Amino acid sequence: MESSIPGDSALERAQAQVAASLSDQARCPVVRGFFDEPTHTATFVIHDPESREAAVIDSVLDFDPSSGTISYAAAERVIDHVRSENLTVAWILETHVHADHLSAAPYLQGKLGGRLAIGRGILAVQETFGKLFNAGTAFARTGAEFNRLFEDGDRFSLGGIEATILHVPGHTPADLAYVIGDAAFVGDTLFMPDYGTARADFPGGDARLLFRSIRRLLSLPDATRLFLCHDYRAPGRDSFVTETTVVAQRKHNVHVRDGTAEDDFVAMREARDRTLATPRLIMPSIQVNMRGGRLPEPEANGRRYLKIPLTTGQG
């Protein structure tokens, strides 16, 4: 295992927490994943097996952009699991403001309770996209849509299981990793080792910051379970997979395995990002998710609308 980054007290606490969990299975959470194939997104329900206290991470709202139809099948699967396992939801957590799916957080909160949280970097995201979508003064850009704005090193618990927050910017300014017991939920930083890493070309993204955030995550103990927000099924693999380990990433990740130089990663990541298409649901996703998953307010006719900013060519 790599040593802690000098002066990185949050990482040191996370490392100690994982080590303690690995030595005592009672401190390890139970994790159940739900994969939404249309958006390639993994939602996780995590709970303490003794107290049955739980958290939901990165939920998905079903959305058909061709008809503007919203539905709740993915969220209902999570609700069914929580109720069948007799869990009490304490937290509904977002790793960042997603650009590829709409969050079902308010729907889940209404059905299951719990506090909604994201990183304090949401303020920068709200400022950027509040301007893009001309949200006006009614959109306060204070993060008030969330019950808690986490900062690096913050802590909470699920029953008797400790959790530590790591700020891992690069994909966006707001990305967090939630280290809960021996499990780290890393959002859009890493993908499976055969697929690599997340893009860093969104507003506020930075490939160099992403590399440093990833190396920080890979300083956790080798046996740390890593749970990923997405899987795109690398060529030659038939199934979707969203769980790996620190040691597997360090040995085999095609973008950031041990020995990869920062400058080489940045050059690769920036070149690759220039070839990637804009995510299909980025416009509806951002304007909903920057509001904590809340839909725009109804207009005078009682209907809600999503905006698409237009770019016009000359001539």
Side-chain angles (χ1 to χ4, degrees):
M1 182 186 74
E2 292 183 356
S3 61
S4 298
I5 298 169
D8 192 340
S9 58
L11 176 60
E12 290 173 355
R13 287 197 297 271
Q15 289 172 324
Q17 172 195 300
V18 172
S21 294
L22 290 170
S23 67
D24 180 0
Q25 289 300 302
R27 301 187 189 183
C28 294
V30 176
V31 181
R32 171 74 158 83
F34 298 83
F35 192 76
D36 182 64
E37 191 166 341
T39 63
H40 295 91
T41 301
T43 297
F44 297 102
V45 179
I46 312 97
H47 75 268
D48 170 18
E50 182 173 341
S51 69
R52 316 301 290 176
E53 193 166 74
V56 179
I57 299 182
D58 291 336
S59 61
V60 174
L61 187 69
D62 299 286
F63 176 65
D64 176 12
S66 63
S67 65
T69 302
I70 286 171
S71 55
Y72 304 95
E76 287 294 343
R77 286 192 288 273
V78 170
I79 292 168
D80 288 346
H81 171 73
V82 167
R83 290 175 174 168
S84 68
E85 293 294 318
N86 195 29
L87 306 179
T88 300
V89 172
W91 292 97
I92 298 175
L93 305 173
E94 301 284 355
T95 55
H96 64 295
V97 176
H98 308 278
D100 39 39
H101 69 273
L102 281 64
S103 170
Y107 183 78
L108 292 176
Q109 195 172 31
K111 298 284 188 176
L112 301 173
R115 301 180 70 195
L116 175 58
I118 199 168
R120 185 165 291 278
I122 181 64
L123 301 182
V125 175
Q126 287 183 330
E127 185 63 30
T128 297
F129 287 103
K131 292 177 180 176
L132 176 66
F133 292 110
N134 196 30
T137 57
F139 180 46
R141 301 161 173 82
T142 61
E145 299 84 357
F146 299 87
N147 302 116
R148 177 76 182 268
L149 301 182
F150 281 123
E151 299 191 52
D152 190 57
D154 281 350
R155 309 190 82 175
F156 66 94
S157 63
L158 286 182
I161 298 176
E162 294 184 342
T164 301
I165 306 299
L166 296 179
H167 183 213
V168 286
H171 174 65
T172 79
D175 280 65
L176 295 183
Y178 297 97
V179 185
I180 304 174
D182 70 321
F185 300 84
V186 301
D188 284 21
T189 52
L190 288 159
F191 298 142
M192 288 300 292
D194 58 1
Y195 201 88
T197 58
R199 65 196 297 167
D201 60 333
F202 295 146
D206 186 309
R208 197 169 297 278
L209 274 179
L210 179 62
F211 179 86
R212 294 173 184 178
S213 292
I214 289 170
R215 294 313 306 179
R216 193 178 188 217
L217 288 169
L218 298 187
S219 296
L220 293 168
D222 283 353
T224 306
R225 294 182 288 165
L226 299 182
F227 293 91
L228 317 177
C229 190
H230 298 290
D231 184 49
Y232 299 99
R233 206 163 52 185
R237 177 155 53 84
D238 295 330
S239 59
F240 293 105
V241 185
T242 55
E243 179 182 352
T244 180
T245 62
V246 164
V247 70
Q249 294 282 4
R250 292 183 59 177
K251 288 183 176 180
H252 303 300
N253 189 287
V254 294
H255 293 168
V256 287
R257 65 169 64 93
D258 284 354
T260 302
E262 181 175 314
D263 287 344
D264 291 341
F265 173 83
V266 171
M268 177 282 301
R269 187 67 267 168
E270 291 180 346
R272 181 176 172 84
D273 288 349
R274 287 192 289 270
T275 72
L276 298 178
T278 301
R280 183 176 65 98
L281 295 180
I282 188 170
M283 292 301 177
S285 294
I286 293 294
Q287 55 194 301
V288 169
N289 295 339
M290 71 181 186
R291 295 179 169 91
R294 290 168 178 81
L295 301 174
E297 290 298 314
E299 297 194 5
N301 62 357
R303 300 196 68 177
R304 302 175 191 267
Y305 292 87
L306 296 167
K307 295 180 179 180
I308 300 179
L310 299 179
T311 301
T312 57
Q314 296 181 352

